[in-house]
Amino acid sequence: MNELTFRTANAADIPALIELVTSAYRGDASRVGWTTEADLLDGQRVDAAGILADINRPRSVILLAEQNGQLQACCHVADENGHGYFGMFAVSPGAQGGGVGKQVMQHAERHVLEQWQLPTMQMTVIDCRDELIAFYERRGYVRTGIKKPFPYGDVRYGIPKRDDLQFEVLAKPLGAVA
């Protein structure tokens, strides 16, 4: 297996990013992997305007992981209130379970620590995603006890199939990034 190469996304990458993130989380294609939200949400996961805003925002980057020139994974990292924020994490369904996600997370954590000298990384996860939360916990993230409401009615986040969704904040200190 060839090594992953990492680069920062630009506006020309937006269509590929929408395709990757959608394939990892929405519809039947997402069921090939284990990160699917297809039973929780319909509709879009990301949109071009939101991605472009993240690309153009100061102290915010979308990291791309490629293998043999093919996009395999992505994530968004940003400086939010003095801590790193990790989001829009997507691995191609066919590449899930092969260590790609772990490498992307390590790269993102190094970026936040080395480029911005931020002491922690935080993320939000839909709180009923127990398997996904367990994945993050195995990588050193802990539940903070902070819950945030799901943005019902805002189709930028998808169309909920349940009325009990909320976000949970997970955090990890970055002093010992592998």
Side-chain angles (χ1 to χ4, degrees):
M1 178 168 143
N2 291 329
E3 297 274 326
L4 289 175
T5 57
F6 292 92
R7 67 179 178 87
T8 301
N10 59 56
D13 295 308
I14 291 174
L17 281 164
I18 291 171
E19 183 178 337
L20 171 66
V21 174
T22 301
S23 74
Y25 290 99
R26 298 289 196 270
D28 288 335
S30 69
R31 295 182 193 280
V32 172
W34 65 274
T35 61
T36 184
E37 295 173 345
D39 294 328
L40 302 173
L41 299 158
D42 275 330
Q44 70 182 21
R45 181 62 153 67
V46 293
D47 64 16
I51 293 172
L52 185 60
D54 288 339
I55 289 171
N56 290 330
R57 191 169 103 194
R59 293 176 66 96
S60 168
V61 296
I62 296 175
L63 301 172
L64 307 180
E66 298 174 323
Q67 189 174 55
N68 296 325
Q70 297 295 310
L71 182 60
Q72 296 296 309
C74 68
C75 69
H76 171 232
V77 292
D79 179 346
E80 288 195 357
N81 302 317
H83 63 79
Y85 175 77
F86 181 80
M88 201 176 74
F89 181 36
V91 177
S92 172
Q96 292 178 19
V100 171
K102 294 172 199 164
Q103 291 179 63
V104 171
M105 290 183 74
Q106 289 172 342
H107 186 79
E109 291 165 1
R110 274 194 300 276
H111 182 92
V112 165
L113 184 62
E114 293 171 4
Q115 298 299 314
W116 301 327
Q117 293 78 47
L118 299 174
T120 58
M121 183 79 90
Q122 292 187 1
M123 67 175 74
T124 56
V125 181
I126 296 174
D127 71 340
C128 62
R129 303 285 319 276
D130 294 328
E131 186 177 7
L132 188 57
I133 291 171
F135 170 83
Y136 292 129
E137 288 176 327
R138 290 190 300 274
R139 269 132 210 99
Y141 287 81
V142 296
R143 295 172 186 248
T144 64
I146 299 169
K147 303 273 186 162
K148 295 183 177 185
F150 186 86
Y152 285 94
D154 188 341
V155 296
R156 292 177 301 168
Y157 295 91
I159 302 165
K161 294 181 177 182
R162 296 170 46 164
D163 62 4
D164 63 341
L165 301 177
Q166 63 181 342
F167 291 118
E168 182 165 1
V169 177
L170 306 179
K172 176 182 182 178
L174 295 180
V177 175

